Amino acid sequence: MVALQDLREIPLFADLSELRLQWLQANLEDMRVEAGAVLRNEGETFRGFFVILDGEIVASRLIDGQQMPVRRYVAPGFCGAVPLLAGTPSLTTLKAESDSHLVRLSEPVLRELLACSDSFSKIIFRATAERLTNLEALLRTREKMAALGKLAAGLAHELNNPAAALARTTDRANEVREALDESLHALSLSSIPHEAIELIHALSARACAKARQAPGDDPARAAAESRLGDWLAAHGVEKPWLVAPGLIAGGIVRDDIAALGESLAPHQFNVSIRWLGATIELHALLKDATGSATHISDMVKALKAYAYMDQAPQQEVDIHDGIEDTLAIMRHRLIQSVAVRREYDRSLPRLQAYGSELNQVWTNIVDNAVDAMEGRGDLVISTRREGDYAVVEFTDSGPGIPPEIQSRLFEPFFTTKPVGQGTGLGLDIAYRIVVNRHGGTILVSSQPGATTFHIRLPLPAQAIAR
């Protein structure tokens, strides 16, 4: 049993009378736990308030599959008042960081102390308010960092594909350039008639204009390459399996080069076709390299626009540009099976707003929509003007939100996702940005197959006057 002297030294119990201390001593549970012991898991409803006499307790939350510490309690501290008094599941997991000595108070004992001791109740409520504020601030920061991490991972994937393609293309282009040099040298020594040179040049000009590397899993293209390769082999062309793909990429078929095969000697036809194939393939590779580089450049531009880099926090923004930048950044989430339909009113005036924060709103809503649809469905984004407000609506084709929880969607920490898959702050952050930062409103309406988030943002005074 805990000694009365030990209880007297706890600040919580400093003003309790001797009789009340004796009552407390008789109604508490003395606990000694080893390091690593879990006192309470996140999501559990546990009837207990802990006072730490010796040792250290860590509170953590499961975020994206990892236990993230949010607070440490050291002797003579206490924890567990909020879920006990509110009768709600615990927001955190409590775990002993070291061998610890605790006392556990039941709910009736805690309520009795709150009623009889003014000092006890003030300490409890002051500390509880401070901890909740700190926890909320910490989790908001982590929610933003987690969202940023997801965007960064998606961007890395989006940039990796064209970057890898660019590297492969340039490697192949160097090989083709060497082959082109060899075939050009052989061509210069082959004494090909002027008329044949003109025909080869015309074929090259025509084919290079349309040449493009195509996916290797196209059966029709593979069959065409095989047929042309067989024909080239029969006419003495070396390594026809390497030449035929370039010719097919440029739209050249057997009929286009049959006259050359008949009018030229086998060695002349061989070097002519090798030069023609290498020229077309090199042009196709350069086009692909340009496409990959352009995609990378576009992604970087979208990222800069999304974050409003090198710009003041508040500026005139076109909400459509912000939405499009957001969709570009989130392409990795949408590209597989989410069809996005835009119904924009492009006549909407520009808004005076915190552009990067509004983009965070669009990100959170789109991300939730994709999760609700399990990555497959339709997302409709519409804009219009209603009086003095610009209205933005996001409608997804997911299963809908039950009516009984719709009113709680914007509450901090409220989430319909399993423990560890969401902090319940994404929509709360969106609410604060729209309502508190921009003086707008954000509402939700939902039924199976159509959940819509309605955002209203005030138009600037000059736009209202028109």
Side-chain angles (χ1 to χ4, degrees):
M1 179 179 290
V2 181
L4 287 175
Q5 181 57 35
D6 291 336
L7 293 179
R8 289 192 192 98
E9 294 176 357
I10 302 298
L12 271 175
F13 310 135
D15 72 339
L16 294 184
S17 65
E18 192 69 16
L19 187 62
R20 182 59 72 178
L21 278 174
Q22 293 174 2
W23 169 83
L24 176 62
Q25 184 187 42
N27 287 277
L28 56 77
E29 179 185 350
D30 191 8
M31 300 176 61
R32 293 184 183 274
V33 297
E34 296 181 349
V38 176
L39 304 178
R40 184 184 65 207
N41 285 307
E42 180 180 348
E44 289 182 347
T45 300
F46 185 75
R47 300 297 181 183
F49 172 75
F50 299 102
V51 181
I52 307 166
L53 303 182
D54 185 43
E56 182 178 1
I57 304 299
V58 173
S60 63
R61 290 204 71 181
L62 186 63
I63 301 176
D64 292 332
Q66 292 186 334
Q67 287 293 148
M68 305 295 292
V70 295
R71 188 174 180 87
R72 294 180 180 271
Y73 304 99
V74 297
F78 57 88
C79 54
V82 173
L84 181 62
L85 295 173
T88 56
S90 173
L91 293 174
T92 60
T93 292
L94 297 179
K95 185 177 181 179
E97 183 73 4
S98 61
D99 293 347
S100 302
H101 184 195
L102 320 168
V103 295
R104 175 181 173 272
L105 309 184
S106 64
E107 182 180 359
V109 172
L110 177 62
R111 292 190 181 278
E112 177 68 20
L113 290 175
L114 288 171
C116 74
S117 173
D118 184 58
S119 174
F120 180 88
S121 61
K122 283 182 178 179
I123 293 174
I124 291 292
F125 290 124
R126 187 182 301 120
T128 298
E130 178 186 348
R131 290 172 185 177
L132 284 176
T133 300
N134 291 341
L135 176 61
E136 184 176 343
L138 175 63
L139 291 177
R140 286 185 196 284
T141 300
R142 285 192 169 157
E143 174 78 10
K144 292 177 181 179
M145 293 303 294
L148 181 60
K150 289 171 67 176
L151 286 179
L155 277 172
H157 178 74
E158 281 293 305
L159 292 173
N160 181 66
N161 286 342
L166 184 58
R168 291 192 302 269
T169 300
T170 52
D171 286 345
R172 177 58 184 161
N174 282 325
E175 296 174 1
V176 174
R177 180 191 57 78
E178 292 177 1
L180 183 61
D181 287 345
E182 293 177 4
S183 62
L184 181 60
H185 177 69
L187 188 65
S188 67
L189 301 176
S190 62
S191 302
I192 296 178
H194 178 74
E195 295 79 8
I197 292 291
E198 289 295 328
L199 176 57
I200 294 170
H201 182 268
L203 287 173
S204 171
R206 188 194 78 184
C208 289
K210 61 182 296 188
R212 191 83 183 220
Q213 294 294 99
D217 58 352
D218 183 345
R221 177 187 175 91
E225 292 172 359
S226 178
R227 289 192 300 270
L228 183 59
D230 291 342
W231 186 85
L232 292 174
H235 284 74
V237 176
E238 299 174 3
K239 299 181 180 179
W241 59 89
L242 295 179
V243 179
L247 298 178
I248 293 298
I252 292 181
V253 295
R254 186 180 66 181
D255 290 346
D256 295 319
I257 55 178
L260 286 174
E262 295 174 358
S263 62
L264 297 178
H267 75 281
Q268 293 175 325
F269 184 66
N270 174 46
V271 297
S272 300
I273 294 302
R274 284 169 50 203
W275 178 86
L276 181 59
T279 301
I280 296 170
E281 184 177 0
L282 185 59
H283 275 76
L285 289 168
L286 291 175
K287 285 182 181 178
D288 282 357
T290 301
S292 296
T294 300
H295 183 62
I296 293 173
S297 176
D298 289 344
M299 290 300 297
V300 172
K301 288 178 182 177
L303 178 60
K304 290 183 67 175
Y306 175 87
Y308 284 84
M309 293 171 63
D310 305 323
Q311 297 188 45
Q314 190 177 38
Q315 61 281 118
E316 282 193 351
V317 302
D318 185 320
I319 57 175
H320 305 104
D321 291 344
I323 293 171
E324 288 302 313
D325 291 333
T326 301
L327 294 176
I329 294 298
M330 299 187 70
R331 182 174 178 270
H332 63 287
R333 294 275 281 152
L334 305 168
I335 192 172
Q336 295 299 325
S337 301
V338 176
V340 179
R341 190 170 81 245
R342 300 155 173 85
E343 298 177 354
Y344 294 160
D345 177 2
R346 289 287 187 175
S347 67
L348 279 176
R350 299 171 70 86
L351 305 181
Q352 190 70 24
Y354 297 91
S356 63
E357 295 186 21
L358 282 184
N359 287 349
Q360 193 175 350
V361 173
W362 316 142
T363 301
N364 287 343
I365 292 177
V366 171
D367 194 53
N368 278 354
V370 174
D371 285 342
M373 295 185 292
E374 298 182 346
R376 182 180 300 273
D378 299 316
L379 178 63
V380 180
I381 307 174
S382 62
T383 63
R384 65 179 183 277
R385 177 170 181 165
E386 286 185 358
D388 299 342
Y389 289 86
V391 178
V392 185
E393 293 181 339
F394 295 81
T395 302
D396 68 70
S397 60
I401 304 169
E404 61 271 17
I405 68 172
Q406 290 182 22
S407 62
R408 301 191 60 195
L409 287 179
F410 303 107
E411 292 180 11
F413 305 118
F414 178 80
T415 179
T416 59
K417 298 176 182 178
V419 172
Q421 293 187 18
T423 60
L425 290 173
L427 291 179
D428 172 60
I429 290 172
Y431 180 91
R432 289 171 178 266
I433 292 173
V434 172
V435 177
N436 299 345
R437 292 284 275 173
H438 292 90
T441 62
I442 179 170
L443 301 170
V444 63
S445 60
S446 182
Q447 61 184 14
T451 295
T452 302
F453 282 86
H454 312 260
I455 298 97
R456 301 172 79 244
L457 297 166
L459 294 171
Q462 62 269 29
I464 295 173
R466 293 175 185 170

